[in-house]
Amino acid sequence: MNKQEKKLAIVTGAARGIGLATAFLFNENGYKVAVVDNDKKEIDNLSLENNDIKKFCYDISNNDHLEEMYKNILNWHSRIDVLVNNAGVADFGNIEETNFKRWNEVMKTNLNGVFLCSQKAIAHLKKTKGNIINIASISGLRASTLRVAYGTSKAAVIQLTKQQAAELGEYGIRVNCIAPGPVKTKLAMAVHTEDIIEAYHDAIPLNRYGTEQEIANGIYFLASEKASYITGQILAVDGGFEATGVGLPSLRK
Ligand SMILES: NC(=O)c1ccc[n+]([C@@H]2O[C@H](COP(=O)([O-])OP(=O)(O)OC[C@H]3O[C@@H](n4cnc5c(N)ncnc54)[C@H](O)[C@@H]3O)[C@@H](O)[C@H]2O)c1
């Protein structure tokens, strides 16, 4: 690979939220960034400030279109250094309410999309000794009510990360995962009621939601050379939620 050439990061689900903050962070640090999203309206409304960041409107769960997506990205810049599998959907419902259609909708993007996008990036990541960052959730680490499909999809992404790290390490490809705590994005605010927001504050040692930027910082770290000996790991960027058991609310009284 030409060492002078800029590196390329692909960030899926990057028209808004955590993905957009991540795309800007890579771009600020000298990467070319392919912003992938299937929400045409959001993508059309997104104004990007320089030629090193470009929009690609694709559904990452649609295997039939992914060849074309990669072809177009590689026509723009002929290498891939980082793939951030961030696109995700949330659907909260109890087990009896979650019909097969709702279950499949969640799995299609949150799990199948990660598998498919990663698989198609491997040949290119081998050439750059690049890396993959998958975005799971604290809901994939700890079970909770109403998250039968979402939580299970994210737990699967955590296992998929370890499978990918195990197989791809010998090519010099690292694969890691970020498990974000709650962030006030469109995805979260569609399913977080007042009760849930309060419960999160209670259960998080830092006593607040995270920001898109704080999650992006974790993603960027794992993708960077500073993490060159880290692979197969799940980093919870969650204000301490994962580390905690009972007792915080009474401590705060
Ligand atoms: N916000 C939170 O509290 C939170 C917590 C834990 C994990 N996460 C995870 O972080 C990731 C980003 O979520 P966010 O909170 O920024 O949500 P968001 O809704 O603001 O952004 C998600 C983006 O993904 C895009 N997307 C969805 N399905 C897609 C598909 N099939 N193909 C291409 N793009 C698609 C959406 O159009 C949207 O722009 C998700 O994987 C989510 O599960 C979020």
Side-chain angles (χ1 to χ4, degrees), residues 76-253:
W76 175 55
H77 195 60
S78 60
R79 57 186 287 160
I80 300 172
D81 299 86
V82 178
L83 169 65
V84 182
N85 284 309
N86 167 77
V89 293
D91 177 352
F92 284 8
N94 69 36
I95 294 173
E96 287 173 294
E97 270 172 7
T98 303
N99 61 29
F100 194 43
K101 185 168 179 290
R102 282 173 67 178
W103 170 271
N104 276 332
E105 279 303 313
V106 173
M107 293 302 161
K108 203 170 81 169
T109 294
N110 293 10
L111 180 58
N112 300 356
V114 175
F115 171 72
L116 295 170
C117 276
S118 304
Q119 196 177 43
K120 292 196 167 46
I122 293 169
H124 308 284
L125 292 171
K126 278 182 183 173
K127 294 183 203 155
T128 57
K129 301 210 181 302
N131 68 85
I132 299 174
I133 311 293
N134 296 325
I135 309 306
S137 168
I138 48 171
S139 297
L141 291 167
R142 292 171 70 179
S144 180
T145 51
L146 307 179
R147 289 162 175 77
V148 62
Y150 183 76
T152 306
S153 73
K154 294 300 190 178
V157 166
I158 287 169
Q159 182 62 19
L160 178 59
T161 300
K162 295 175 185 173
Q163 295 292 150
Q164 291 171 329
E167 273 193 47
L168 303 179
E170 67 176 299
Y171 305 119
I173 301 174
R174 297 184 299 109
V175 188
N176 289 294
C177 176
I178 291 282
V183 179
K184 288 187 176 164
T185 60
K186 194 167 175 183
L187 172 145
M189 287 305 100
V191 287
H192 289 195
T193 58
E194 279 305 313
D195 283 1
I196 290 178
I197 294 173
E198 212 175 296
Y200 268 129
H201 280 246
D202 262 357
I204 291 174
L206 292 184
N207 204 213
R208 64 171 174 85
Y209 274 46
T211 65
E212 289 89 335
Q213 193 62 45
E214 287 173 314
I215 309 302
N217 289 341
I219 295 169
Y220 187 76
F221 162 69
L222 285 178
S224 76
E225 269 307 298
K226 303 251 186 248
S228 55
Y229 199 50
I230 302 177
T231 194
Q233 294 303 304
I234 318 306
L235 177 62
V237 181
D238 67 349
F241 176 87
E242 164 63 5
T244 316
V246 294
L248 283 176
S250 46
L251 193 71
R252 290 199 176 104
K253 272 180 194 148

Side-chain angles (χ1 to χ4, degrees), residues 20-33:
L20 184 59
T22 304
F24 284 147
L25 185 59
F26 275 90
N27 184 233
E28 278 158 32
N29 281 280
Y31 279 76
K32 289 228 172 209
V33 183

Side-chain angles (χ1 to χ4, degrees), residues 28-43:
E28 278 158 32
N29 281 280
Y31 279 76
K32 289 228 172 209
V33 183
V35 165
V36 173
D37 208 287
N38 68 341
D39 187 330
K40 189 163 175 342
K41 209 165 146 207
E42 293 270 15
I43 275 264

